[in-house]
Amino acid sequence: MLVARAIRPMLATAAMRRACTRTLCASPRVMRPTSQPTLSFDPSVKTAMDKQEPPAPGADFRVVIVGAGNINFGSDEGPWNHSFRLEHKLGPRLKVVALIDPDAERARRVLQTKCQSFVLSAYKDTVVYPTFKDYMASVCAETYPHAVWVGSPPAFRGGTEPGRNLEQLLTAGLPNVPLFIEKPVSTGAVDQTFEVAKMLERNGSLVSVGYMLRYLKVVQKMKQIIAENHLRVMAVNARYIMAYEYTAKLDWWDKSKNPGPIVEQATHFCDLARYFAGEVDLSTVMAQSLEHYEPAGQLSKIPVDESLIEPRNRIPRVTCATWKFESGAVGSLTHAVALQGTDYSTQIDVYADGYSMRLVDPYNAPMLYIRRPGDDHEEIVRYNDDDPFFSEVASLIDCIEHGEGTSPILSSYEDAARTYALTWAIREASERTMRPLP
């Protein structure tokens, strides 16, 4: 019964639309900066959800959510769940005015779950729309959003062509409304993502992209050490070894449908490499891959029928890449589809004069090992109750309500486009050196 009341008719009557049009308001005002933007934060501050003050009462904060899938509503596969963080940040102020997803049944299922819980007030009036165009036909002053949370598949955004141009539709239909956009920013042409970045900048859009590992306290501790000691990073070495046994989505194994493990998965580590060492000279990127048809590339527990994928579209088993940063520092990445079970093995090493910083298992139990000048032993740093997903959500909301720069937005759209460009440079470099199919 709750769901029946929660889902309004998907198309309002003409009279209702006319009434809404007459009262259509401008975008809710985003506070503009009163100080220089904050580019990082003190890792000692309390950021965990359960360490925050209860949300203060106040005016409704209206959100449109694009995508009813796992990234926005959670799953058993990982800690992501943006709606959960929005609920804890905003409390009873949260009002999800629209959920946009072409799969209406899936959208209704997630709303039913929400409406049977303590967050009923946030979702009881949520309307499901199949497309952004359908949503825009019903927008009025009472439903005009303060923010849009985009967790739709990257194939539908990050471009300028119809069907891939969600950001263009958002900025045209909801000018100046702040956006949260998941990574990677696209699956299409790299140059189009930079065109989108310029369009968002011209529009004055406040945008945060979901490179949540930047918000880890151990990552901020590394940035703090680099800044306080005036270090020049000499090298970054990243290793991402995935457990593949339960990755049962066929499209993930098909790089013609999914952009491949470097673009889609190792993107977080490419992003952290840039975050620590600066911009990459893309002309220096070199890479080698181990392919499925080579003797060492045979996997014994693939959970899908890989014969359904054309051989040329099957993902590499290992990709090893190297490059130069513009500073002269050296970067390297190894990504492997190699482990069984469920636990991944992930690590990033950062080296500077006298310093070694080793970040281990950033997704699950982040731990930082630091070796400093004059000491051969490693100091171990670990923060309890850290939730980078909550930190990125809270930071964007704080900037909307209190002014840009009052909280750190650590990945702009242009920044994310540069990470996207690096991942594609690695993929393309590896494909240039592939051995021919037998």
Side-chain angles (χ1 to χ4, degrees):
M1 296 299 294
L2 289 174
V3 175
R5 291 196 297 269
I7 309 296
R8 294 176 178 172
M10 293 175 65
L11 295 176
T13 65
M16 289 172 63
R17 289 198 297 271
R18 286 195 296 271
C20 284
T21 301
R22 286 194 296 270
T23 59
L24 187 62
C25 68
S27 168
R29 186 166 68 95
V30 178
M31 295 291 291
R32 291 303 168 189
T34 55
S35 60
Q36 291 296 317
T38 303
L39 300 179
S40 59
F41 61 88
D42 183 348
S44 66
V45 300
K46 293 179 180 179
T47 59
M49 287 189 297
D50 62 348
K51 304 299 181 184
Q52 306 301 306
E53 293 293 328
D60 290 350
F61 190 101
R62 298 182 295 275
V63 175
V64 170
I65 295 179
V66 183
N70 295 347
I71 192 67
N72 281 333
F73 290 95
S75 74
D76 294 334
E77 298 176 7
W80 43 78
N81 187 332
H82 291 313
S83 61
F84 180 68
R85 275 75 178 191
L86 285 165
E87 292 153 13
H88 281 75
K89 173 63 178 175
L90 293 165
R93 296 178 57 207
L94 174 64
K95 298 295 182 289
V96 178
V97 293
L99 175 56
I100 302 172
D101 195 297
D103 187 342
E105 186 56 38
R106 177 173 67 173
R108 289 186 172 90
R109 283 198 304 270
V110 298
L111 289 175
Q112 180 178 15
T113 300
K114 293 293 188 181
C115 289
Q116 291 174 343
S117 72
F118 71 98
V119 294
L120 169 66
S121 65
Y123 298 94
K124 65 184 179 65
D125 295 319
T126 303
V127 185
V128 174
Y129 298 94
T131 68
F132 181 72
K133 182 179 179 181
D134 292 315
Y135 161 69
M136 282 305 302
S138 69
V139 175
C140 62
E142 290 76 18
T143 62
Y144 207 91
H146 294 87
V148 178
W149 238 259
V150 178
S152 58
F156 300 105
R157 44 188 172 83
T160 57
E161 303 164 357
R164 288 181 171 271
N165 63 335
L166 178 59
E167 294 86 357
Q168 287 184 336
L169 298 177
L170 288 169
T171 53
L174 302 171
N176 299 317
V177 172
L179 307 175
F180 179 90
I181 299 174
E182 256 309 323
K183 47 56 61 184
V185 291
S186 182
T187 62
V190 169
D191 59 347
Q192 289 193 16
T193 65
F194 286 102
E195 291 182 38
V196 172
K198 291 177 183 177
M199 181 268 298
L200 291 169
E201 184 177 2
R202 288 194 301 269
N203 184 67
S205 302
L206 178 62
V207 182
S208 175
V209 178
Y211 281 106
M212 79 289 177
L213 293 185
R214 293 189 177 203
Y215 293 83
L216 280 172
K217 289 187 175 184
V218 284
V219 168
Q220 290 303 309
K221 181 65 174 179
M222 295 168 77
K223 291 285 284 186
Q224 184 182 70
I225 291 170
I226 292 168
E228 289 181 349
N229 294 281
H230 308 288
L231 301 178
R232 292 181 181 270
V233 171
M234 300 169 65
V236 179
N237 179 22
R239 295 187 294 282
Y240 191 117
I241 316 301
M242 76 163 292
Y244 71 87
E245 184 178 359
Y246 298 104
T247 305
K249 189 175 181 180
L250 184 65
D251 284 359
W252 190 87
W253 296 85
D254 185 341
K255 63 182 182 181
S256 71
K257 296 181 178 179
N258 200 58
I262 297 298
V263 179
E264 188 273 337
Q265 197 173 67
T267 182
H268 281 292
F269 277 29
C270 292
D271 185 71
L272 283 183
R274 291 184 52 254
Y275 192 49
F276 293 133
E279 295 307 325
V280 174
D281 180 351
L282 295 182
S283 69
T284 67
V285 174
M286 296 183 290
Q288 300 279 345
S289 63
L290 168 65
E291 299 296 328
H292 68 93
Y293 50 83
E294 298 180 281
Q298 307 299 311
L299 297 177
S300 61
K301 287 198 173 183
I302 297 179
V304 300
D305 183 358
E306 207 175 19
S307 69
L308 298 174
I309 305 170
E310 287 188 38
R312 63 187 178 87
N313 291 330
R314 297 175 194 174
I315 63 168
R317 297 346 189 188
V318 179
T319 303
C320 293
T322 61
W323 61 84
K324 292 273 286 183
F325 293 95
E326 291 180 356
S327 67
V330 177
S332 64
L333 167 73
T334 296
H335 180 283
V337 182
L339 301 179
Q340 297 174 7
T342 58
D343 288 343
Y344 289 27
S345 175
T346 54
Q347 180 171 314
I348 296 180
D349 301 308
V350 177
Y351 300 101
D353 185 18
Y355 287 82
S356 166
M357 291 179 281
R358 180 161 54 96
L359 172 57
V360 177
D361 197 15
Y363 291 96
N364 299 300
M367 190 171 294
L368 176 61
Y369 297 83
I370 308 166
R371 175 172 165 174
R372 301 175 185 268
D375 189 349
D376 292 343
H377 297 89
E378 288 185 319
E379 166 191 351
I380 300 175
V381 176
R382 185 172 184 176
Y383 295 95
N384 295 323
D385 304 318
D386 191 15
D387 184 347
F389 290 97
F390 180 76
S391 295
E392 68 177 359
V393 166
S395 291
L396 179 56
I397 291 172
D398 286 344
C399 285
I400 292 170
E401 297 202 305
H402 306 299
E404 292 179 53
T406 55
S407 287
I409 292 179
L410 300 182
S411 182
S412 68
Y413 193 93
E414 182 183 2
D415 201 349
R418 292 180 183 276
T419 292
Y420 185 64
L422 173 58
T423 60
W424 267 104
I426 293 171
R427 172 178 162 170
E428 290 169 347
S430 71
E431 290 175 341
R432 286 193 296 270
T433 60
M434 286 170 55
R435 291 177 174 175
L437 277 162

